[in-house]
Amino acid sequence: MPMNIAIDGPAGAGKSTAARMVAEKFGYIYVDTGAMYRAMALYMLREEIDPADQGAVEAACEKADISLEYKDGVQQVLLNGENVTAEIRTPEVSRASSAVSAYGAVRAKLVELQRKLAGRRDVVMDGRDIGTAVLPNADLKVYLTASAHVRALRRFKELPAGQAGVSLDEVEAEITARDKQDMEREISPLKRAEDAVLLDTSDMSLEEAVRELEELVEDAGSRGCCGC
Ligand code: DC
């Protein structure tokens, strides 16, 4: 059975950076499920479909073929065969991805793909519903979070040059609005699974968070081992 590590948490908690580093250390693949919802959102924006129009999004989502591949160990997201890894990181796509991720048909399609990946390979998978819905039997579940202010500050420091005029308050407002939408949707809302380890990184460096995660993965690995 492949090892499945589920990492969930709100926007900007540092899940992807930490998950990627941990996956690399243990030789697992890293699956960023947010990138799949982002690719779906990009498809809708390109087709000029309003992300708020559930019927139109659900009808169109069948036409968006989303897949992942790995280049030098780094996840690449393909949308109908085109590598869109760079295009999905804009604020517009962030907002649209949170909207389209609330719809059942979108989630059903992407969850199926996520489960297939986790069934075949050892994975560290991050998202919002991995421990609660996608991989309820994961070997380890972690809920990684930090205060909204700390998360906004981290995002603010990493803003690309193209967004130089954006203020810290705006980043925090954006993050808080997206968390609210992700936590209040009906299907698979963002929440901590009952059996998830809570890791609050508000007062931790990235290195400290990664070290804690590595220890948790090591413990989970020895629990799952037959003793051979
Ligand atoms: O992790 P991210 O910021 O790239 O995710 C973008 C959006 O996708 C997020 O606001 C909610 C949605 N998402 C989700 O609903 N379920 C997941 N497993 C991952 C992301």
Side-chain angles (χ1 to χ4, degrees):
M1 285 284 280
M3 273 293 273
N4 286 178
I5 312 295
I7 303 184
D8 292 300
K15 301 185 298 292
S16 52
T17 313
R20 195 180 321 114
M21 290 170 79
V22 170
E24 197 179 329
K25 172 167 166 107
F26 291 93
Y28 300 173
I29 61 164
Y30 164 56
V31 180
D32 169 5
T33 63
M36 298 178 183
Y37 290 96
R38 286 172 179 270
M40 186 61 85
L42 181 66
Y43 178 79
M44 300 303 158
L45 293 171
R46 283 180 172 180
E47 295 294 310
E48 298 184 0
I49 294 168
D50 178 1
D53 185 342
Q54 177 166 3
V57 170
E58 292 201 316
C61 78
E62 278 316 309
K63 287 179 241 142
D65 178 41
I66 292 166
S67 57
L68 301 183
E69 63 179 35
Y70 291 84
K71 202 157 93 200
D72 300 327
V74 180
Q75 176 184 290
Q76 309 290 316
V77 192
L78 305 189
L79 171 59
N80 293 331
E82 177 192 347
N83 189 332
V84 293
T85 310
E87 281 84 351
I88 59 173
R89 297 291 157 195
T90 66
E92 191 189 15
V93 172
S94 298
R95 277 189 295 277
S97 62
S98 182
V100 305
S101 71
Y103 307 142
V106 170
R107 299 205 75 80
K109 180 177 167 120
L110 297 182
V111 167
E112 189 189 344
L113 175 60
Q114 292 154 15
R115 287 193 180 134
K116 269 195 196 143
L117 286 167
R120 286 200 295 258
R121 305 275 302 266
D122 294 332
V123 294
V124 179
M125 187 174 281
D126 85 9
R128 303 293 188 286
D129 62 334
I130 311 305
T132 54
V134 180
L135 305 174
N137 300 319
D139 301 276
L140 169 69
K141 299 178 188 180
V142 178
Y143 190 83
L144 195 78
T145 190
S147 73
H149 185 67
V150 166
R151 289 186 284 120
L153 205 56
R154 288 177 188 161
R155 276 275 153 101
F156 181 69
K157 286 183 186 156
E158 290 166 5
L159 280 183
Q163 293 172 45
V166 179
S167 73
L168 175 58
D169 282 351
E170 282 167 326
V171 175
E172 188 165 340
E174 171 92 38
I175 277 186
T176 310
R178 198 143 65 90
D179 288 351
K180 184 170 155 51
Q181 181 155 313
D182 295 342
M183 286 170 172
E184 291 182 354
R185 69 175 177 230
E186 255 171 58
I187 312 170
S188 307
L190 166 65
K191 67 168 184 228
R192 178 184 167 191
E194 275 174 21
D195 50 351
V197 178
L198 176 68
L199 195 57
D200 186 329
T201 67
S202 301
D203 299 315
M204 277 185 202
S205 65
L206 173 64
E207 292 70 29
E208 286 168 330
V210 169
R211 212 173 310 127
E212 290 251 359
L213 270 178
E214 286 174 357
E215 277 173 25
L216 290 167
V217 174
E218 263 156 23
D219 289 351
S222 49
R223 269 202 314 276
C225 179
C226 57
C228 51

